[in-house]
Amino acid sequence: MPVDIEFVGGPMDGRRVSLDCTPEQLPPALKATDRIERADLEARVRTVRYERDTAPIGPTWHYRYEENR
């Protein structure tokens, strides 16, 4: 049964995904890669970290942006 998650804050704010696992198997944190295109056509990749809330809001788990990491 898939588990719905939503990213809160940071570059992934508002994005929703489903992970094929049980709520007990959800990781405590997720890293997301954000590919940013620059005007000179070089790509810069940044990795950001999201921490899981301690409880879901309805059926959806939220992962919150941690900008200090």
Side-chain angles (χ1 to χ4, degrees):
M1 172 185 230
V3 177
D4 294 328
I5 68 167
E6 181 177 351
F7 293 98
V8 179
M12 304 265 306
D13 187 46
R15 292 187 193 176
R16 291 176 172 247
V17 296
S18 292
L19 298 179
D20 191 22
C21 65
T22 65
E24 294 80 20
Q25 294 172 317
L26 283 174
L30 292 173
K31 287 186 180 178
T33 302
D34 185 28
R35 185 178 171 95
I36 302 168
E37 297 292 335
R38 294 180 15 192
D40 60 5
L41 300 180
E42 290 180 20
R44 181 172 56 122
V45 177
R46 165 175 72 156
T47 301
V48 294
R49 182 181 171 102
Y50 287 83
E51 297 278 339
R52 186 189 69 217
D53 282 354
T54 57
I57 298 174
T60 304
W61 283 86
H62 288 119
Y63 279 78
R64 299 195 184 275
Y65 177 61
E66 294 293 325
E67 62 183 312
N68 294 332
R69 302 219 179 227

